[in-house]
Every structure is written in structure tokens, then in C-alpha cells.
Amino acid sequence: MTQPIPNPYGQALTPTRDERTWAILGHLAAIVAAVISVGWLSFVGPLLIWAVYKDRSAFVRQAAAGSFNFNLAVWAAIIVGWLMFFTVILIPVAIIVWVVAVLAALWFHVRAAMAANRGESYRYPWGIPVLH
């Protein structure tokens, strides 16, 4: 899941300390925004970091885009959970979907932040590819 970011000439680039810091923030901003907004704005942090760094750093761009795309998948799972919840019969399944989505979001964002701290790229296990 972790790999160095290749540059156009083929050799691996080592991200700077500043790039690693912004990549870490790109991954963890989703958790912070989710806590502040009770889950509804978890995509805003990674989106802002992607918008600022998309032309400055491939490492930060990849981290923020991956975080954003993963958050879209988490959002989709939570919306599916709400749809199940409103059918009444599927309330227990909806609760399981919500718990799994939240725990997966926490687990994978923290793992991604730890990889970014080491200067490694992290590929989330699933996501809706919107940003690149």
C-alpha cells in the first residue's frame, strides 16, 4: 500500500518535511473536519489542501486526493446506512454499516498519515475517484 512517488524521470523523490506535514494534514483533516461538523464536512479539509497544493507538490496532491476520494466512499456508505435506517426493518444493518464506515475512516486515515510521516505514498483500499 505504501510506495514512493515517482517523478517524471523515473527515480523516486523524497518529500520534504513541509510536504510530509501537509500530506499528514491532508489525511487527518478529514477526521478533524468530521468531528467539528458532526461528520458532514469531512471532505472539506482534504479538498482545500488539494486545491492549494495540486500544482506545488505531487506528494501532497496525491495524499489529499486519496483522502478526499476515500471520504466520498465513506459518505456513500453512510448514506446507504440512512436509506436502510428509513426502511425500519434494516435498522440493525444500518447501524453496522455506520460503525464500520466510521471505524474504517479512522483506521485508514491514521494509517495514511503515518505513511505520509515516513514520506511514503498511501493508497486507500477503496474510494470514488474524483480528484487525481
Side-chain angles (χ1 to χ4, degrees), residues 3-131:
Q3 58 195 17
I5 300 290
N7 74 8
Y9 304 107
Q11 68 268 25
L13 294 176
T14 303
T16 65
R17 174 178 277 175
D18 188 48
E19 288 176 317
R20 287 195 319 261
T21 299
W22 281 105
I24 291 167
L25 290 174
H27 293 298
L28 295 181
I31 296 172
V32 172
V35 169
I36 291 172
S37 69
V38 193
W40 292 107
L41 297 176
S42 62
F43 64 91
V44 172
L47 181 61
L48 289 174
I49 291 171
W50 177 85
V52 170
Y53 279 88
K54 67 180 178 179
D55 296 326
R56 292 187 197 176
S57 169
F59 183 69
V60 177
R61 181 183 66 237
Q62 186 272 336
S67 180
F68 178 85
N69 294 338
F70 178 70
N71 274 306
L72 291 181
V74 170
W75 262 51
I78 289 172
I79 289 169
V80 166
W82 276 109
L83 293 173
M84 286 189 245
F85 185 82
F86 288 125
T87 64
V88 179
I89 289 179
L90 295 176
I91 288 176
V93 177
I95 293 169
I96 292 169
V97 167
W98 290 334
V99 169
V100 168
V102 169
L103 291 177
L106 289 172
W107 173 257
F108 290 115
H109 282 304
V110 169
R111 286 192 62 192
M114 290 176 11
N117 186 46
R118 293 187 303 267
E120 299 171 348
S121 173
Y122 184 83
R123 187 171 306 272
Y124 285 91
W126 64 83
I128 300 171
V130 173
L131 297 181

